[in-house]
Amino acid sequence: MIRYFFRRLGYGLLVLLGVVFAVFFLFQGFGDPSRLVIGQRADAATQDNIRKELYLDQPRWKQFVFYLDDISPIAVHSREEIARKGLKGVFIGGSGKSSTVLAIKWPYLRQSYQSKREVWDILMEALPATILLAIAAMLLATIGGIGLGVLAAIRKGTWMDTSAIFVSVLGISAPSFFMGIVIAYLFGFVFSGFTGLHMTGSLIDTDPFTGRHVELRNLILPALTLGIRPMAIIAQLTRGALLDVLDQDYIRTAYAKGLPPRVVIWKHGLRNALNPVITAITGWFAELLAGAFFVEKIFGWKGIGKVTVDALGTLDFPVVMGSVLVTSFFFIVVGVLSDFLYGWIDPRVRLI
């Protein structure tokens, strides 16, 4: 199991390195970053200083090496760089200003072109809201999807089965951005007097009289929008897997022993049918972090997705690049964890 873990971790690091390579050479090719930092009217001397600080006076391959050095948790930096960039971590080596040291540090994602704030701080401020939205959407999708799938399987051929299939097909077919607009309009505008919900709103709202406060009701509509499609897929996977399991000999034996149908279905049948469902759940959780981008923009949910879309509109590429890297890291972590979940859910699966 340990060997398997490190092998998967190695694959994940290679994937992340490929993402870093693609992101860097894609976004560094747009315009002159020094102009984006200081504007169009700065003098040549100031622009040269900015270009030197951003390593833009170096060949492209060297710029990539410097960027890789910044974002890597284990890197080599000079004491001067550590002080100038405000790096946080453990630094091993000489104490001179120009001396080179080994740094074990938090990744340095550089500074925003627009706000001049650290990209890491911007993303970490927005990330909890996105994770909360993804968890809420996944809980809704898991509970609703498994419930619909089980209902359709045990009532195969009835109107309940047909209705569950229709709802799941509709959920798969409708794009999230379209459903977001429809749901926001209906429940946040047309029926807002009845639902008490708003078209837009974030987790933390600021009132001029009461100050900052948590508004969990603003989570309902974006979580519903984001959870519709995975719920539909989970429902279909649960139905298909459970129908296959219910045809097995051990299920018939359980019925023959006089076990209640509820125990047979939920304890013996569903547990052995959950492998493809777990695959969908873990895979979709990572997908939801990416799918939340436009849903957050539609509902004004101030998470990492909205921050990234806003940064694209202002050509704030360090924020966009940092967001892609953080999201990719979550994809890799969720993928590794999902493999371990298989062995816990189904004892027949063994990690080699």
Side-chain angles (χ1 to χ4, degrees):
M1 183 179 292
I2 295 177
R3 185 176 60 183
Y4 171 82
F5 172 79
F6 281 107
R7 186 168 68 245
R8 285 285 311 201
L9 186 62
Y11 292 154
L13 290 176
L14 288 176
V15 171
L16 193 58
L17 181 61
V19 171
V20 171
F21 183 87
V23 164
F24 178 84
F25 285 99
L26 175 64
F27 288 103
Q28 285 296 100
F30 285 97
D32 186 349
S34 64
R35 285 292 186 186
L36 297 175
V37 173
I38 61 179
Q40 299 297 322
R41 298 184 178 180
D43 58 89
T46 303
Q47 186 177 359
D48 288 341
N49 289 334
I50 295 295
R51 289 181 61 84
K52 184 176 180 180
E53 183 180 342
L54 296 176
Y55 309 112
L56 299 175
D57 58 339
Q58 302 291 330
R60 185 63 61 87
W61 69 269
K62 271 193 176 181
Q63 294 180 37
F64 176 71
V65 171
F66 286 132
Y67 183 70
L68 199 61
D69 201 44
D70 282 342
I71 65 174
S72 174
I74 301 176
V76 175
H77 290 282
S78 67
R79 290 284 179 182
E80 182 183 3
E81 276 186 305
I82 293 171
R84 176 166 54 86
K85 296 176 180 178
L87 302 182
K88 302 178 180 65
V90 178
F91 308 103
I92 304 169
S95 57
K97 185 177 180 180
S98 59
S99 59
T100 301
V101 299
L102 176 66
I104 303 173
K105 60 180 176 60
W106 288 106
Y108 176 65
L109 302 178
R110 300 190 173 176
Q111 292 184 340
S112 163
Y113 290 160
Q114 302 299 324
S115 67
K116 307 301 185 292
R117 293 179 59 199
E118 299 287 341
V119 171
W120 179 267
D121 293 339
I122 295 173
L123 296 180
M124 291 305 105
E125 187 179 285
L127 186 60
T130 297
I131 292 177
L132 177 62
L133 175 58
I135 290 174
M138 203 67 251
L139 283 175
L140 173 67
T142 302
I143 295 171
I146 291 178
L148 279 176
V150 171
L151 181 65
I154 62 178
R155 295 287 187 268
K156 182 182 178 183
T158 66
W159 66 270
M160 292 184 182
D161 183 22
T162 305
S163 300
I165 293 175
F166 174 77
V167 170
S168 64
V169 171
L170 184 64
I172 294 172
S173 304
S176 294
F177 67 87
F178 172 75
M179 292 301 298
I181 294 172
V182 172
I183 289 174
Y185 177 71
L186 289 178
F187 297 102
F189 179 71
V190 176
F191 301 115
S192 62
F194 175 73
T195 63
L197 302 175
H198 304 293
M199 291 183 68
T200 60
S202 190
L203 178 63
I204 306 295
D205 275 355
T206 303
D207 187 276
F209 300 102
T210 61
R212 291 164 60 88
H213 55 279
V214 177
E215 282 286 356
L216 284 177
R217 64 177 178 174
N218 292 335
L219 177 64
I220 296 174
L221 295 184
L224 177 63
T225 302
L226 202 58
I228 286 177
R229 195 172 187 194
M231 180 175 67
I233 293 175
I234 290 170
Q236 288 203 353
L237 288 173
T238 302
R239 178 184 180 274
L242 188 56
L243 285 174
D244 289 339
V245 169
L246 292 179
D247 284 336
Q248 301 296 318
D249 291 337
Y250 70 91
I251 295 293
R252 287 189 285 269
T253 302
Y255 277 121
K257 289 182 176 180
L259 292 177
R262 176 175 56 84
V263 174
V264 174
I265 292 170
W266 291 98
K267 183 177 180 180
H268 297 284
L270 184 59
R271 178 167 182 173
N272 291 312
L274 278 182
N275 255 354
V277 179
I278 292 297
T279 305
I281 291 173
T282 53
W284 268 102
F285 183 77
E287 291 282 348
L288 289 182
L289 291 175
F293 279 32
F294 292 104
V295 172
E296 288 182 1
K297 184 66 175 178
I298 291 170
F299 290 97
W301 183 262
K302 296 177 182 178
I304 195 171
K306 186 176 185 299
V307 167
T308 305
V309 175
D310 290 342
L312 275 171
T314 58
L315 303 180
D316 201 349
F317 294 133
V319 176
V320 179
M321 294 163 71
S323 173
V324 173
L325 293 181
V326 169
T327 306
S328 301
F329 174 77
F330 272 96
F331 266 89
I332 293 168
V333 170
V334 171
V336 172
L337 291 179
S338 66
D339 288 337
F340 284 93
L341 279 176
Y342 299 155
W344 179 73
I345 293 295
D346 189 346
R348 295 171 298 179
V349 176
R350 289 289 180 265
L351 302 179
I352 300 174

